[in-house]
Amino acid sequence: MKVCFFLGGFYQNGGIGRVTSILINKLSENEHIEISALCYFDAHKPNLYPLSSRIRQSFLLPQYKSMSKFLLTGGVRKLRKFLIDNSIDIVVACGALFYPLAVRACRTIRTKCICWEHSDPEGNNDHKGQRFARKYGISHSDMNVVLTKRALKVYCDKYGAKNTAQIYNPIDTAVLEKAKPYDASAKQIISVGRLEYQKNFETAVEVARKVLTAHPDWTWDIFGKGPEQEKLQQLIDEAGLSAQMTLRGQVSDLYDRYSHYSFLVMTSRYEGFPMVLLEGCGNALPLVSFDIPTGPDEIIVDGENGYLLKAFDVDGMAQKIADLLDDAELRLRMSAFNKEYCKCFSERKVIGEWEQLLWNMLTTRN
């Protein structure tokens, strides 16, 4: 079976490239599945996420062109030719941006199309035309895959989707391999994410101002880079937190650093299925997040492995963080819960679900 994953690429920090690399690297270990990765355009930058030597990586375009322009200038024919020339059985469109192109390219050939949702299916924040692209893909694809049970309900209730499966993102095995025993004495909080609107780190600064001033022996580190770095640093300085809250930038050894922290906080406005919460879970860190679409409520069991707060309730989040700061036994109990709970998102379980889905599609071909 030949399966092609079609996405933007692996050259920039972001959830789709990251989780796709984890998935296809493991799928490629199956000797009965030949995996290829088709990137929309060649960014002439190295992959941030390494691919197995068993995976063939190709580029549809030599340089960037807007999707709308590409669709109007022969894009469907170009993708269709690639699928035919490479005898692709199934193409997986990774993200709504690529749904219309992939669906239309498969329309008159034997290749089946999966539309793989990576964002909030009720949102329209990622790109212009996202809602139309999603609706088109849902209506015309052979199969839809969503990340969460909440997204599955939206697909079925709002869009009337029929051929839809829900499969979680996996915890990267490397996270579990590098995890160290939990240290409840570590007086450090960690947050991770691109410094941009979606991640809402300005609210993290507001929460920190309410909590850290009363706990001068605690610090809060934020890992990531992005367009809002200067703005966030200014907010930190204005809040008088420069000695306790630090922007650490993007690092290559993040998995090794989780063990230095006591718990993880996420303040995002929306997500698809937040990998950072999975990484925290895999490191047995208690988790704190707003209950935003989609994913946190399917990773955090409120009161057991962390706290799930009403969206953007700054005072509520500050109070729950203060509870964790003041109670080492509480942190230890939540950590112990995560040591077992993380198995729900194991690579073996997720890869098995994908393999079954792919084989079912191949064997039911008309």
Side-chain angles (χ1 to χ4, degrees):
M1 172 169 52
K2 294 185 177 183
V3 182
C4 173
F5 283 76
F6 178 38
L7 71 162
F10 304 96
Y11 66 93
Q12 62 181 352
N13 189 33
I16 294 181
R18 187 178 186 187
V19 73
T20 300
S21 69
I22 294 170
L23 177 63
I24 63 179
N25 281 337
K26 297 304 290 186
L27 284 174
S28 71
E29 294 176 4
N30 187 322
E31 61 181 11
H32 301 294
I33 303 177
E34 184 178 322
I35 298 290
S36 60
L38 178 61
C39 301
Y40 181 51
F41 72 101
D42 187 352
H44 304 288
K45 295 179 181 180
N47 291 343
L48 281 183
Y49 309 110
L51 300 182
S52 165
S53 60
R54 295 181 292 270
I55 297 170
R56 177 189 170 204
Q57 183 177 3
S58 304
F59 300 93
L60 192 60
L61 289 170
Q63 59 188 19
Y64 176 77
K65 181 184 289 187
S66 72
M67 180 59 71
S68 58
K69 185 175 181 180
F70 187 53
L71 281 167
L72 293 171
T73 56
V76 173
R77 289 193 303 273
K78 189 173 182 66
L79 177 56
R80 182 180 294 138
K81 185 177 186 304
F82 176 90
L83 299 175
I84 293 172
D85 289 349
N86 291 277
S87 302
I88 300 298
D89 294 300
I90 300 171
V91 62
V92 182
C94 305
L97 176 65
F98 303 103
Y99 290 2
L101 179 59
V103 167
R104 291 174 63 185
C106 293
R107 183 175 291 170
T108 58
I109 59 176
R110 61 187 289 275
T111 305
K112 288 199 169 184
C113 180
I114 295 175
C115 289
W116 185 16
E117 177 69 70
H118 281 266
S119 189
D120 169 19
E122 292 189 293
N124 196 33
N125 298 294
D126 291 345
H127 58 82
K128 186 177 180 180
Q130 183 178 4
R131 189 166 294 144
F132 167 79
R134 176 179 292 117
K135 187 174 182 179
Y136 185 89
I138 290 171
S139 301
H140 296 90
S141 66
D142 296 290
M143 176 62 68
N144 302 291
V145 176
V146 296
L147 297 177
T148 67
K149 292 180 174 62
R150 183 187 291 188
L152 178 63
K153 189 175 189 304
V154 172
Y155 261 56
C156 294
D157 293 352
K158 182 175 181 178
Y159 293 105
K162 300 187 184 305
N163 296 327
T164 305
Q166 182 267 316
I167 304 177
Y168 287 128
N169 283 339
I171 296 177
D172 189 348
T173 296
V175 170
L176 302 177
E177 291 173 346
K178 292 177 178 290
K180 296 179 177 62
Y182 179 68
D183 181 7
S185 67
K187 293 189 174 184
Q188 296 188 94
I189 305 166
I190 184 172
S191 293
V192 181
R194 183 167 166 77
L195 308 184
E196 62 183 4
Y197 173 82
Q198 177 192 348
K199 302 303 180 180
N200 192 27
F201 283 125
E202 62 268 31
T203 295
V205 177
E206 190 175 352
V207 172
R209 182 178 58 81
K210 292 178 174 290
V211 175
L212 293 186
T213 52
H215 297 81
D217 52 340
W218 279 80
T219 59
W220 190 334
D221 289 343
I222 299 174
F223 288 89
K225 65 179 183 178
E228 294 194 350
Q229 181 167 337
E230 185 176 336
K231 168 188 170 182
L232 289 170
Q233 187 60 61
Q234 182 177 346
L235 290 174
I236 290 169
D237 294 341
E238 290 174 353
L241 295 171
S242 56
Q244 288 181 274
M245 193 172 207
T246 307
L247 302 179
R248 295 292 182 186
Q250 187 172 312
V251 298
S252 60
D253 61 345
L254 181 62
Y255 290 177
D256 295 306
R257 300 193 185 212
Y258 276 113
S259 62
H260 302 158
Y261 295 89
S262 189
F263 59 94
L264 182 147
V265 177
M266 191 180 81
T267 54
S268 295
R269 289 182 166 90
Y270 61 93
E271 289 284 343
F273 192 68
M275 296 295 288
V276 64
L277 290 185
L278 292 184
E279 291 167 9
C281 181
N283 279 276
L285 299 183
L287 310 170
V288 181
S289 173
F290 293 129
D291 185 11
I292 46 96
T294 54
D297 64 341
E298 295 181 41
I299 299 173
I300 297 176
V301 183
D302 190 42
E304 296 293 340
N305 66 337
Y307 291 117
L308 196 63
L309 286 308
K310 180 181 177 181
F312 320 125
D313 179 0
V314 171
D315 290 336
M317 178 173 278
Q319 182 57 60
K320 292 302 183 183
I321 288 176
D323 291 346
L324 285 167
L325 298 183
D326 293 333
D327 193 340
E329 288 300 319
L330 175 62
R331 301 196 298 272
L332 283 167
R333 177 174 64 78
M334 290 183 168
S335 172
F337 188 97
N338 265 336
K339 287 179 182 178
E340 289 298 315
Y341 187 62
C342 68
K343 295 176 183 177
C344 296
F345 310 102
S346 70
E347 274 190 357
R348 177 179 296 183
K349 180 177 183 296
V350 172
I351 298 305
E353 291 173 355
W354 266 100
E355 288 177 338
Q356 187 62 56
L357 176 73
L358 294 171
W359 284 114
N360 286 347
M361 288 191 67
L362 191 66
T363 56
T364 57
R365 174 180 285 141
N366 295 327

